[in-house]
PDB file of all heavy atoms in Angstrom:
ATOM      1  N   GLN B  33     -21.728  26.637 -32.360  1.00 94.00           N
ATOM      2  CA  GLN B  33     -22.925  27.425 -31.950  1.00 94.00           C
ATOM      3  C   GLN B  33     -22.925  28.803 -32.636  1.00 94.00           C
ATOM      4  O   GLN B  33     -24.001  29.334 -32.973  1.00 94.00           O
ATOM      5  CB  GLN B  33     -22.998  27.566 -30.460  1.00 94.00           C
ATOM      6  CG  GLN B  33     -23.261  26.256 -29.701  1.00 94.00           C
ATOM      7  CD  GLN B  33     -24.634  25.667 -30.059  1.00 94.00           C
ATOM      8  OE1 GLN B  33     -25.585  26.369 -30.340  1.00 94.00           O
ATOM      9  NE2 GLN B  33     -24.661  24.293 -30.156  1.00 94.00           N
ATOM     10  N   GLU B  34     -21.737  29.376 -32.848  1.00 93.00           N
ATOM     11  CA  GLU B  34     -21.641  30.661 -33.523  1.00 93.00           C
ATOM     12  C   GLU B  34     -22.092  30.551 -35.020  1.00 93.00           C
ATOM     13  O   GLU B  34     -22.651  31.448 -35.570  1.00 93.00           O
ATOM     14  CB  GLU B  34     -20.264  31.175 -33.434  1.00 93.00           C
ATOM     15  CG  GLU B  34     -19.859  31.704 -32.072  1.00 93.00           C
ATOM     16  CD  GLU B  34     -18.389  32.118 -31.913  1.00 93.00           C
ATOM     17  OE1 GLU B  34     -17.707  32.143 -32.934  1.00 93.00           O
ATOM     18  OE2 GLU B  34     -17.974  32.386 -30.781  1.00 93.00           O
ATOM     19  N   VAL B  35     -21.834  29.390 -35.584  1.00 96.00           N
ATOM     20  CA  VAL B  35     -22.297  29.142 -36.933  1.00 96.00           C
ATOM     21  C   VAL B  35     -23.826  29.154 -36.977  1.00 96.00           C
ATOM     22  O   VAL B  35     -24.433  29.808 -37.846  1.00 96.00           O
ATOM     23  CB  VAL B  35     -21.778  27.779 -37.481  1.00 96.00           C
ATOM     24  CG1 VAL B  35     -22.386  27.424 -38.842  1.00 96.00           C
ATOM     25  CG2 VAL B  35     -20.275  27.771 -37.577  1.00 96.00           C
ATOM     26  N   LEU B  36     -24.424  28.485 -35.990  1.00 96.00           N
ATOM     27  CA  LEU B  36     -25.879  28.490 -35.916  1.00 96.00           C
ATOM     28  C   LEU B  36     -26.451  29.882 -35.688  1.00 96.00           C
ATOM     29  O   LEU B  36     -27.408  30.335 -36.303  1.00 96.00           O
ATOM     30  CB  LEU B  36     -26.373  27.569 -34.779  1.00 96.00           C
ATOM     31  CG  LEU B  36     -25.955  26.087 -34.857  1.00 96.00           C
ATOM     32  CD1 LEU B  36     -26.637  25.301 -33.755  1.00 96.00           C
ATOM     33  CD2 LEU B  36     -26.277  25.480 -36.192  1.00 96.00           C
ATOM     34  N   ASP B  37     -25.702  30.697 -34.876  1.00 95.00           N
ATOM     35  CA  ASP B  37     -26.132  32.066 -34.621  1.00 95.00           C
ATOM     36  C   ASP B  37     -26.102  32.876 -35.926  1.00 95.00           C
ATOM     37  O   ASP B  37     -26.980  33.740 -36.177  1.00 95.00           O
ATOM     38  CB  ASP B  37     -25.221  32.760 -33.563  1.00 95.00           C
ATOM     39  CG  ASP B  37     -25.429  32.128 -32.213  1.00 95.00           C
ATOM     40  OD1 ASP B  37     -26.458  31.492 -31.948  1.00 95.00           O
ATOM     41  OD2 ASP B  37     -24.513  32.278 -31.332  1.00 95.00           O
ATOM     42  N   ALA B  38     -25.053  32.666 -36.739  1.00 95.00           N
ATOM     43  CA  ALA B  38     -24.905  33.371 -37.981  1.00 95.00           C
ATOM     44  C   ALA B  38     -26.066  32.986 -38.935  1.00 95.00           C
ATOM     45  O   ALA B  38     -26.615  33.864 -39.624  1.00 95.00           O
ATOM     46  CB  ALA B  38     -23.560  33.079 -38.616  1.00 95.00           C
ATOM     47  N   ILE B  39     -26.425  31.696 -38.919  1.00 96.00           N
ATOM     48  CA  ILE B  39     -27.513  31.313 -39.797  1.00 96.00           C
ATOM     49  C   ILE B  39     -28.835  31.928 -39.390  1.00 96.00           C
ATOM     50  O   ILE B  39     -29.641  32.419 -40.214  1.00 96.00           O
ATOM     51  CB  ILE B  39     -27.646  29.736 -39.797  1.00 96.00           C
ATOM     52  CG1 ILE B  39     -26.395  29.085 -40.404  1.00 96.00           C
ATOM     53  CG2 ILE B  39     -28.924  29.273 -40.512  1.00 96.00           C
ATOM     54  CD1 ILE B  39     -26.367  27.583 -40.267  1.00 96.00           C
ATOM     55  N   ILE B  40     -29.037  32.034 -38.058  1.00 95.00           N
ATOM     56  CA  ILE B  40     -30.225  32.695 -37.546  1.00 95.00           C
ATOM     57  C   ILE B  40     -30.291  34.149 -37.941  1.00 95.00           C
ATOM     58  O   ILE B  40     -31.291  34.664 -38.342  1.00 95.00           O
ATOM     59  CB  ILE B  40     -30.304  32.514 -35.996  1.00 95.00           C
ATOM     60  CG1 ILE B  40     -30.506  31.050 -35.585  1.00 95.00           C
ATOM     61  CG2 ILE B  40     -31.361  33.375 -35.389  1.00 95.00           C
ATOM     62  CD1 ILE B  40     -30.339  30.758 -34.135  1.00 95.00           C
ATOM     63  N   ALA B  41     -29.104  34.827 -37.776  1.00 94.00           N
ATOM     64  CA  ALA B  41     -29.106  36.270 -38.010  1.00 94.00           C
ATOM     65  C   ALA B  41     -29.021  36.688 -39.476  1.00 94.00           C
ATOM     66  O   ALA B  41     -29.651  37.642 -39.866  1.00 94.00           O
ATOM     67  CB  ALA B  41     -27.882  36.854 -37.243  1.00 94.00           C
ATOM     68  N   GLU B  42     -28.335  35.862 -40.262  1.00 94.00           N
ATOM     69  CA  GLU B  42     -28.068  36.276 -41.648  1.00 94.00           C
ATOM     70  C   GLU B  42     -28.675  35.402 -42.681  1.00 94.00           C
ATOM     71  O   GLU B  42     -28.725  35.784 -43.882  1.00 94.00           O
ATOM     72  CB  GLU B  42     -26.550  36.401 -41.900  1.00 94.00           C
ATOM     73  CG  GLU B  42     -25.791  37.302 -40.930  1.00 94.00           C
ATOM     74  CD  GLU B  42     -24.334  37.089 -41.010  1.00 94.00           C
ATOM     75  OE1 GLU B  42     -23.802  36.902 -42.132  1.00 94.00           O
ATOM     76  OE2 GLU B  42     -23.654  37.113 -39.932  1.00 94.00           O
ATOM     77  N   GLY B  43     -29.077  34.219 -42.279  1.00 93.00           N
ATOM     78  CA  GLY B  43     -29.635  33.293 -43.273  1.00 93.00           C
ATOM     79  C   GLY B  43     -28.596  32.840 -44.275  1.00 93.00           C
ATOM     80  O   GLY B  43     -27.389  32.682 -43.947  1.00 93.00           O
ATOM     81  N   ALA B  44     -29.019  32.650 -45.491  1.00 92.00           N
ATOM     82  CA  ALA B  44     -28.117  32.096 -46.549  1.00 92.00           C
ATOM     83  C   ALA B  44     -26.926  33.013 -46.834  1.00 92.00           C
ATOM     84  O   ALA B  44     -25.926  32.569 -47.333  1.00 92.00           O
ATOM     85  CB  ALA B  44     -28.909  31.894 -47.847  1.00 92.00           C
ATOM     86  N   ALA B  45     -27.022  34.299 -46.430  1.00 94.00           N
ATOM     87  CA  ALA B  45     -25.942  35.226 -46.745  1.00 94.00           C
ATOM     88  C   ALA B  45     -24.619  34.898 -46.002  1.00 94.00           C
ATOM     89  O   ALA B  45     -23.587  35.329 -46.398  1.00 94.00           O
ATOM     90  CB  ALA B  45     -26.364  36.664 -46.382  1.00 94.00           C
ATOM     91  N   CYS B  46     -24.740  34.115 -44.963  1.00 94.00           N
ATOM     92  CA  CYS B  46     -23.534  33.784 -44.174  1.00 94.00           C
ATOM     93  C   CYS B  46     -22.810  32.561 -44.717  1.00 94.00           C
ATOM     94  O   CYS B  46     -21.788  32.171 -44.199  1.00 94.00           O
ATOM     95  CB  CYS B  46     -23.866  33.587 -42.707  1.00 94.00           C
ATOM     96  SG  CYS B  46     -24.688  32.098 -42.304  1.00 94.00           S
ATOM     97  N   PHE B  47     -23.355  31.939 -45.760  1.00 93.00           N
ATOM     98  CA  PHE B  47     -22.745  30.718 -46.296  1.00 93.00           C
ATOM     99  C   PHE B  47     -22.350  30.923 -47.766  1.00 93.00           C
ATOM    100  O   PHE B  47     -23.127  31.448 -48.538  1.00 93.00           O
ATOM    101  CB  PHE B  47     -23.702  29.532 -46.140  1.00 93.00           C
ATOM    102  CG  PHE B  47     -23.273  28.547 -45.104  1.00 93.00           C
ATOM    103  CD1 PHE B  47     -23.615  28.714 -43.784  1.00 93.00           C
ATOM    104  CD2 PHE B  47     -22.480  27.452 -45.429  1.00 93.00           C
ATOM    105  CE1 PHE B  47     -23.223  27.828 -42.798  1.00 93.00           C
ATOM    106  CE2 PHE B  47     -22.074  26.538 -44.469  1.00 93.00           C
ATOM    107  CZ  PHE B  47     -22.431  26.737 -43.139  1.00 93.00           C
ATOM    108  N   ASP B  48     -21.209  30.430 -48.068  1.00 92.00           N
ATOM    109  CA  ASP B  48     -20.791  30.350 -49.456  1.00 92.00           C
ATOM    110  C   ASP B  48     -21.340  29.031 -50.042  1.00 92.00           C
ATOM    111  O   ASP B  48     -20.819  27.983 -49.749  1.00 92.00           O
ATOM    112  CB  ASP B  48     -19.233  30.358 -49.567  1.00 92.00           C
ATOM    113  CG  ASP B  48     -18.771  30.354 -51.001  1.00 92.00           C
ATOM    114  OD1 ASP B  48     -19.584  30.531 -51.873  1.00 92.00           O
ATOM    115  OD2 ASP B  48     -17.550  30.134 -51.204  1.00 92.00           O
ATOM    116  N   GLY B  49     -22.458  29.134 -50.734  1.00 89.00           N
ATOM    117  CA  GLY B  49     -23.175  27.958 -51.163  1.00 89.00           C
ATOM    118  C   GLY B  49     -24.382  27.703 -50.296  1.00 89.00           C
ATOM    119  O   GLY B  49     -24.726  28.542 -49.439  1.00 89.00           O
ATOM    120  N   ASP B  50     -25.025  26.587 -50.487  1.00 91.00           N
ATOM    121  CA  ASP B  50     -26.237  26.290 -49.712  1.00 91.00           C
ATOM    122  C   ASP B  50     -25.861  25.906 -48.270  1.00 91.00           C
ATOM    123  O   ASP B  50     -24.827  25.294 -48.004  1.00 91.00           O
ATOM    124  CB  ASP B  50     -26.974  25.138 -50.367  1.00 91.00           C
ATOM    125  CG  ASP B  50     -27.540  25.535 -51.722  1.00 91.00           C
ATOM    126  OD1 ASP B  50     -27.788  26.735 -51.916  1.00 91.00           O
ATOM    127  OD2 ASP B  50     -27.738  24.635 -52.578  1.00 91.00           O
ATOM    128  N   ILE B  51     -26.825  26.251 -47.397  1.00 94.00           N
ATOM    129  CA  ILE B  51     -26.637  25.805 -45.973  1.00 94.00           C
ATOM    130  C   ILE B  51     -27.007  24.374 -45.874  1.00 94.00           C
ATOM    131  O   ILE B  51     -28.098  23.968 -46.306  1.00 94.00           O
ATOM    132  CB  ILE B  51     -27.525  26.650 -45.032  1.00 94.00           C
ATOM    133  CG1 ILE B  51     -27.144  28.133 -45.108  1.00 94.00           C
ATOM    134  CG2 ILE B  51     -27.376  26.165 -43.563  1.00 94.00           C
ATOM    135  CD1 ILE B  51     -28.114  29.032 -44.335  1.00 94.00           C
ATOM    136  N   PRO B  52     -26.130  23.521 -45.369  1.00 93.00           N
ATOM    137  CA  PRO B  52     -26.505  22.099 -45.202  1.00 93.00           C
ATOM    138  C   PRO B  52     -27.788  21.942 -44.395  1.00 93.00           C
ATOM    139  O   PRO B  52     -28.017  22.720 -43.468  1.00 93.00           O
ATOM    140  CB  PRO B  52     -25.307  21.495 -44.467  1.00 93.00           C
ATOM    141  CG  PRO B  52     -24.177  22.386 -44.804  1.00 93.00           C
ATOM    142  CD  PRO B  52     -24.755  23.749 -44.926  1.00 93.00           C
ATOM    143  N   GLU B  53     -28.589  20.946 -44.807  1.00 94.00           N
ATOM    144  CA  GLU B  53     -29.912  20.833 -44.143  1.00 94.00           C
ATOM    145  C   GLU B  53     -29.829  20.619 -42.634  1.00 94.00           C
ATOM    146  O   GLU B  53     -30.618  21.120 -41.875  1.00 94.00           O
ATOM    147  CB  GLU B  53     -30.683  19.645 -44.812  1.00 94.00           C
ATOM    148  CG  GLU B  53     -31.265  19.976 -46.181  1.00 94.00           C
ATOM    149  CD  GLU B  53     -32.054  18.813 -46.723  1.00 94.00           C
ATOM    150  OE1 GLU B  53     -32.362  17.894 -45.980  1.00 94.00           O
ATOM    151  OE2 GLU B  53     -32.352  18.865 -47.975  1.00 94.00           O
ATOM    152  N   ASP B  54     -28.858  19.840 -42.220  1.00 94.00           N
ATOM    153  CA  ASP B  54     -28.728  19.493 -40.798  1.00 94.00           C
ATOM    154  C   ASP B  54     -28.385  20.812 -40.007  1.00 94.00           C
ATOM    155  O   ASP B  54     -28.850  20.992 -38.890  1.00 94.00           O
ATOM    156  CB  ASP B  54     -27.722  18.433 -40.530  1.00 94.00           C
ATOM    157  CG  ASP B  54     -26.332  18.799 -41.053  1.00 94.00           C
ATOM    158  OD1 ASP B  54     -26.216  19.371 -42.147  1.00 94.00           O
ATOM    159  OD2 ASP B  54     -25.346  18.500 -40.295  1.00 94.00           O
ATOM    160  N   LEU B  55     -27.551  21.636 -40.612  1.00 95.00           N
ATOM    161  CA  LEU B  55     -27.190  22.903 -39.922  1.00 95.00           C
ATOM    162  C   LEU B  55     -28.385  23.851 -39.886  1.00 95.00           C
ATOM    163  O   LEU B  55     -28.658  24.510 -38.848  1.00 95.00           O
ATOM    164  CB  LEU B  55     -26.033  23.583 -40.646  1.00 95.00           C
ATOM    165  CG  LEU B  55     -24.652  22.948 -40.424  1.00 95.00           C
ATOM    166  CD1 LEU B  55     -23.585  23.773 -41.199  1.00 95.00           C
ATOM    167  CD2 LEU B  55     -24.303  22.948 -38.945  1.00 95.00           C
ATOM    168  N   GLN B  56     -29.167  23.893 -40.930  1.00 96.00           N
ATOM    169  CA  GLN B  56     -30.362  24.703 -40.936  1.00 96.00           C
ATOM    170  C   GLN B  56     -31.358  24.276 -39.939  1.00 96.00           C
ATOM    171  O   GLN B  56     -31.987  25.077 -39.178  1.00 96.00           O
ATOM    172  CB  GLN B  56     -31.007  24.698 -42.357  1.00 96.00           C
ATOM    173  CG  GLN B  56     -32.210  25.659 -42.466  1.00 96.00           C
ATOM    174  CD  GLN B  56     -31.804  27.136 -42.345  1.00 96.00           C
ATOM    175  OE1 GLN B  56     -31.030  27.651 -43.099  1.00 96.00           O
ATOM    176  NE2 GLN B  56     -32.390  27.819 -41.359  1.00 96.00           N
ATOM    177  N   ALA B  57     -31.534  22.943 -39.818  1.00 96.00           N
ATOM    178  CA  ALA B  57     -32.498  22.443 -38.810  1.00 96.00           C
ATOM    179  C   ALA B  57     -32.029  22.743 -37.397  1.00 96.00           C
ATOM    180  O   ALA B  57     -32.838  23.091 -36.495  1.00 96.00           O
ATOM    181  CB  ALA B  57     -32.622  20.945 -38.996  1.00 96.00           C
ATOM    182  N   ALA B  58     -30.708  22.593 -37.142  1.00 96.00           N
ATOM    183  CA  ALA B  58     -30.167  22.890 -35.832  1.00 96.00           C
ATOM    184  C   ALA B  58     -30.370  24.377 -35.509  1.00 96.00           C
ATOM    185  O   ALA B  58     -30.653  24.755 -34.374  1.00 96.00           O
ATOM    186  CB  ALA B  58     -28.711  22.502 -35.732  1.00 96.00           C
ATOM    187  N   ALA B  59     -30.182  25.251 -36.471  1.00 96.00           N
ATOM    188  CA  ALA B  59     -30.314  26.691 -36.281  1.00 96.00           C
ATOM    189  C   ALA B  59     -31.790  27.011 -36.014  1.00 96.00           C
ATOM    190  O   ALA B  59     -32.057  27.843 -35.137  1.00 96.00           O
ATOM    191  CB  ALA B  59     -29.834  27.442 -37.523  1.00 96.00           C
ATOM    192  N   ASP B  60     -32.706  26.398 -36.692  1.00 96.00           N
ATOM    193  CA  ASP B  60     -34.132  26.623 -36.480  1.00 96.00           C
ATOM    194  C   ASP B  60     -34.522  26.272 -35.066  1.00 96.00           C
ATOM    195  O   ASP B  60     -35.268  26.979 -34.354  1.00 96.00           O
ATOM    196  CB  ASP B  60     -34.973  25.843 -37.469  1.00 96.00           C
ATOM    197  CG  ASP B  60     -34.818  26.374 -38.870  1.00 96.00           C
ATOM    198  OD1 ASP B  60     -34.379  27.519 -39.040  1.00 96.00           O
ATOM    199  OD2 ASP B  60     -35.180  25.629 -39.810  1.00 96.00           O
ATOM    200  N   GLU B  61     -34.015  25.115 -34.596  1.00 96.00           N
ATOM    201  CA  GLU B  61     -34.318  24.686 -33.222  1.00 96.00           C
ATOM    202  C   GLU B  61     -33.742  25.665 -32.183  1.00 96.00           C
ATOM    203  O   GLU B  61     -34.376  26.013 -31.169  1.00 96.00           O
ATOM    204  CB  GLU B  61     -33.777  23.265 -33.002  1.00 96.00           C
ATOM    205  CG  GLU B  61     -34.138  22.721 -31.602  1.00 96.00           C
ATOM    206  CD  GLU B  61     -33.573  21.316 -31.399  1.00 96.00           C
ATOM    207  OE1 GLU B  61     -33.019  20.755 -32.345  1.00 96.00           O
ATOM    208  OE2 GLU B  61     -33.678  20.845 -30.289  1.00 96.00           O
ATOM    209  N   LYS B  62     -32.514  26.115 -32.436  1.00 95.00           N
ATOM    210  CA  LYS B  62     -31.851  27.068 -31.497  1.00 95.00           C
ATOM    211  C   LYS B  62     -32.654  28.328 -31.463  1.00 95.00           C
ATOM    212  O   LYS B  62     -32.929  28.910 -30.378  1.00 95.00           O
ATOM    213  CB  LYS B  62     -30.460  27.321 -31.912  1.00 95.00           C
ATOM    214  CG  LYS B  62     -29.737  28.230 -30.962  1.00 95.00           C
ATOM    215  CD  LYS B  62     -28.239  28.352 -31.235  1.00 95.00           C
ATOM    216  CE  LYS B  62     -27.585  29.182 -30.154  1.00 95.00           C
ATOM    217  NZ  LYS B  62     -26.105  29.286 -30.334  1.00 95.00           N
ATOM    218  N   GLN B  63     -33.098  28.849 -32.630  1.00 95.00           N
ATOM    219  CA  GLN B  63     -33.824  30.079 -32.658  1.00 95.00           C
ATOM    220  C   GLN B  63     -35.153  29.945 -31.923  1.00 95.00           C
ATOM    221  O   GLN B  63     -35.567  30.896 -31.191  1.00 95.00           O
ATOM    222  CB  GLN B  63     -34.084  30.461 -34.118  1.00 95.00           C
ATOM    223  CG  GLN B  63     -34.783  31.830 -34.211  1.00 95.00           C
ATOM    224  CD  GLN B  63     -35.018  32.250 -35.645  1.00 95.00           C
ATOM    225  OE1 GLN B  63     -35.204  31.373 -36.533  1.00 95.00           O
ATOM    226  NE2 GLN B  63     -35.065  33.518 -35.908  1.00 95.00           N
ATOM    227  N   PHE B  64     -35.823  28.825 -32.054  1.00 96.00           N
ATOM    228  CA  PHE B  64     -37.094  28.600 -31.347  1.00 96.00           C
ATOM    229  C   PHE B  64     -36.879  28.702 -29.864  1.00 96.00           C
ATOM    230  O   PHE B  64     -37.578  29.357 -29.126  1.00 96.00           O
ATOM    231  CB  PHE B  64     -37.670  27.270 -31.772  1.00 96.00           C
ATOM    232  CG  PHE B  64     -38.989  26.988 -31.106  1.00 96.00           C
ATOM    233  CD1 PHE B  64     -40.183  27.310 -31.746  1.00 96.00           C
ATOM    234  CD2 PHE B  64     -39.076  26.313 -29.846  1.00 96.00           C
ATOM    235  CE1 PHE B  64     -41.382  27.043 -31.154  1.00 96.00           C
ATOM    236  CE2 PHE B  64     -40.279  26.056 -29.259  1.00 96.00           C
ATOM    237  CZ  PHE B  64     -41.446  26.418 -29.914  1.00 96.00           C
ATOM    238  N   ASN B  65     -35.811  28.030 -29.383  1.00 92.00           N
ATOM    239  CA  ASN B  65     -35.553  28.051 -27.949  1.00 92.00           C
ATOM    240  C   ASN B  65     -35.138  29.453 -27.453  1.00 92.00           C
ATOM    241  O   ASN B  65     -35.530  29.834 -26.311  1.00 92.00           O
ATOM    242  CB  ASN B  65     -34.418  27.022 -27.646  1.00 92.00           C
ATOM    243  CG  ASN B  65     -34.871  25.605 -27.813  1.00 92.00           C
ATOM    244  OD1 ASN B  65     -36.063  25.313 -27.691  1.00 92.00           O
ATOM    245  ND2 ASN B  65     -33.950  24.728 -28.148  1.00 92.00           N
ATOM    246  N   GLN B  66     -34.434  30.173 -28.260  1.00 90.00           N
ATOM    247  CA  GLN B  66     -34.049  31.537 -27.860  1.00 90.00           C
ATOM    248  C   GLN B  66     -35.305  32.433 -27.770  1.00 90.00           C
ATOM    249  O   GLN B  66     -35.452  33.215 -26.847  1.00 90.00           O
ATOM    250  CB  GLN B  66     -33.069  32.108 -28.903  1.00 90.00           C
ATOM    251  CG  GLN B  66     -31.667  31.571 -28.828  1.00 90.00           C
ATOM    252  CD  GLN B  66     -30.734  32.104 -29.937  1.00 90.00           C
ATOM    253  OE1 GLN B  66     -31.255  32.554 -30.984  1.00 90.00           O
ATOM    254  NE2 GLN B  66     -29.468  31.997 -29.752  1.00 90.00           N
TER     255      GLN B  66
END
Side-chain angles (χ1 to χ4, degrees):
Chain B
Q33 291 299 324
E34 287 172 9
V35 174
L36 301 187
D37 292 339
I39 294 172
I40 292 169
E42 304 167 38
C46 72
F47 252 86
D48 183 9
D50 294 333
I51 299 173
E53 285 183 12
D54 60 319
L55 285 180
Q56 184 64 60
D60 291 342
E61 183 180 354
K62 182 172 185 177
Q63 184 179 28
F64 182 90
N65 291 332
Q66 285 175 340

